[in-house]
Structures are given as structure tokens and as C-alpha cells.
Amino acid sequence: MFGETASEAWQQRFGKSTPGTGGASVPANFFAHRSVRHFSNRAIPREVIQELVGAAQSAATSSNLQMWSVVSIQDAERREAIAKLAGDQDQIRAASWFLAFIVDLHRLAEAARSVGEDPAALDTAEFFTMGVVDAALAAERMVCAAESIGIGTCYIGALRNDVFGVKELLGLPPLTFGVFGLCLGYPAEESTAEIKPRLSNQAVWFEERYDREKGIGDFDARAVAFYESQGMNPGVNWSMRSGRRVNGTQMTGREAVKPFLTEQGLDLR
């Protein structure tokens, strides 16, 4: 429903025209992603979700180990429960579908044991990292597929706000971890979701070696303009918002992640 051209989306994202002299080579929807938090009542058929899960399964996966799973939560009472566990966010209640993406080393351990192998390395940081990467690649492939057919999406990092509560609600076995949630739904007509600005290519793209001197360019100024347009903390720039996010005072329960991982058998040695 949003309908920006690739050039328009690029301008909103990076504050400048697309590279080169012609139109963008990459389809517009790859630049036009935004978090949709207001959904219509239009249901997404289960068959479409099955195809989207198939798209997610088609993402790259390390050594074909497929170290992720996804749990959909559709029952009204359980949806309310997961919403309360994950920051009490209304988009979780309103979405046509809510999915919890799981780092899943349990299935791999069971497969190994079934053929007489000892899955002794699954508690290492390497395998946990591989599982997080697998889950993220799968989810982003799903998001790109969903957006290509007009479905809005919103990631929910707050699934990690109460990791023990999520474990109980979803019945997660050892060697698993609910890493993030995903809302899927058709955007409401009155949705005002906007393309959020990002750092420039130059700030994140280093050629040959990491360049410590590049900095963030004009991003703070562009971020202030965006925040003010959204009625969000006038005068606060990206560095200020980000600094507050990483100063340790806004963990919102996620300080429990490390002891949770230990309890789940993911000691990350």
C-alpha cells in the first residue's frame, strides 16, 4: 500500500539520490522496508503462511544444519500471554499471525544421538552463533517474501524480555532459545509507517580494511529530522538514543538471557 519507487525509498532511507545516473537496479521493496504496527482485519490464509515458512526455509543455512524453528501463536489467550511477555505491544495482538523464531539446537542434538553421535559441541559459542544467524537469515527471507506480496511485518526483539516466561509458554526444550518475534498482517489503511533513515553506505561499507575514521557523517542530523517528524523526542539524535540504549539502564529484563542460556545447556564455552 505504500508504493514508493526505488529512487524515492532510497532518498528517504539515505537522504540522497540513488547511485549512478539511472534508476535503481534493485527492486523498491528492498529499500522500502518499514515496521508496520497497525494492521487491518484482513486475515492472511494459512496457506500463505505455509509458503512464507517455505521461503524462510529456503534461506542459506550453515552446513545445512537448519538450526532454527518457528512457533506460531494464534489462540487468543496465548496471543495475549505472549504480548504481555514481549513488552505488552498492541501490534502483537492485532497482527494476523505472530511467529516466535527459535534458535533450535535440540533437533540437531536428537538427530546426532539417533545415529550414535555425541553432540558435545552444541553448548559452544560457535554453534549458538550459527543458530542465531540461521534464525535471522530465515526470518529476513520470510520478511522480504511477505513484503513482496503486500504483507506488513514488525520484528519483536522484546520476545527476550522474559526468556523464562517464553520458554514456559511455548514449551521450549533444552538447547533452544526464543530469539525474536515477528508480526505479519496486511497494513491498515490509516497506517502511517514510514521508512526510517539509515547510516549512509560510506559509514558501513569499508573497502579492504576497516576505517575507524569514517564516522557516521550526517546521520545524526537526518535522524533528528525523522524523529521530530514522528513526534519522537525532539532534538534527540541517533547517537544520543543509541548511547542511552547501550548504557545498561534499559535492559528490560534481558539481563536474564545469559543465565537462561546456561540453564538451557547453552553455556557458550
Side-chain angles (χ1 to χ4, degrees):
M1 63 171 285
F2 299 106
E4 297 91 356
T5 66
S7 294
E8 290 168 342
W10 184 281
Q11 177 77 32
Q12 293 178 51
R13 186 74 78 194
F14 304 111
K16 57 185 67 177
S17 59
T18 51
T21 57
S25 302
V26 177
N29 62 294
F30 285 93
F31 304 125
H33 166 76
R34 70 258 281 159
S35 294
V36 174
R37 295 179 173 86
H38 296 97
F39 298 103
S40 73
N41 293 327
R42 179 183 174 190
I44 302 174
R46 189 178 189 281
E47 292 76 13
V48 173
I49 298 300
Q50 186 172 9
E51 291 184 20
L52 291 176
V53 173
Q57 290 183 272
S58 299
T61 170
S62 184
S63 301
N64 202 29
L65 294 175
Q66 304 173 75
M67 294 173 285
W68 66 279
S69 292
V70 64
V71 180
S72 59
I73 301 97
Q74 296 300 96
D75 175 81
E77 290 187 7
R78 293 174 59 77
R79 181 75 72 89
E80 178 64 23
I82 199 74
K84 288 180 176 176
L85 290 170
D88 203 25
Q89 299 179 64
D90 284 339
Q91 64 265 33
I92 298 174
R93 299 179 176 92
S96 180
W97 287 77
F98 180 76
L99 309 177
F101 276 80
I102 311 299
V103 173
D104 188 354
L105 307 187
H106 172 77
R107 178 174 53 240
L108 189 55
E110 293 297 296
R113 293 188 184 105
S114 74
V115 293
E117 295 290 347
D118 179 7
L122 287 183
D123 66 345
T124 61
E126 168 61 6
F127 275 96
F128 180 72
T129 300
M130 290 163 66
V132 172
V133 171
D134 265 15
L137 290 175
E140 188 61 11
R141 178 63 67 100
M142 178 183 285
V143 164
C144 290
E147 291 177 343
S148 75
I149 56 174
I151 293 172
T153 67
C154 183
Y155 282 107
I156 303 293
L159 192 73
R160 301 187 301 278
N161 282 14
D162 187 342
V163 286
F164 290 98
V166 168
K167 173 188 175 179
E168 181 177 358
L169 182 66
L170 302 186
L172 299 182
L175 298 175
T176 61
F177 171 53
V179 66
F180 52 78
L182 182 64
C183 298
L184 296 172
Y186 291 103
E189 286 297 326
E190 66 273 16
S191 176
T192 58
E194 299 289 346
I195 296 174
K196 187 178 292 186
R198 295 282 197 264
L199 293 158
S200 68
N201 278 179
Q202 291 76 18
V204 302
W205 178 9
F206 308 123
E207 300 193 55
E208 309 303 339
R209 290 177 62 85
Y210 192 99
D211 185 350
R212 299 187 188 188
E213 304 303 319
K214 276 195 172 182
I216 64 172
D218 67 347
F219 187 57
D220 270 339
R222 289 193 290 115
V224 166
F226 175 79
Y227 296 147
E228 289 182 347
S229 75
Q230 303 297 300
M232 300 163 57
N233 299 327
V236 176
N237 63 33
W238 177 80
S239 294
M240 295 164 67
R241 287 173 64 89
S242 300
R244 293 169 186 172
R245 184 67 181 85
V246 301
N247 70 9
T249 63
Q250 299 182 25
M251 293 297 289
T252 60
R254 301 184 203 184
E255 61 275 4
V257 167
K258 182 62 171 71
F260 174 81
L261 293 177
T262 299
E263 181 178 290
Q264 285 291 89
L266 297 166
D267 294 327
L268 307 188
R269 57 185 171 85

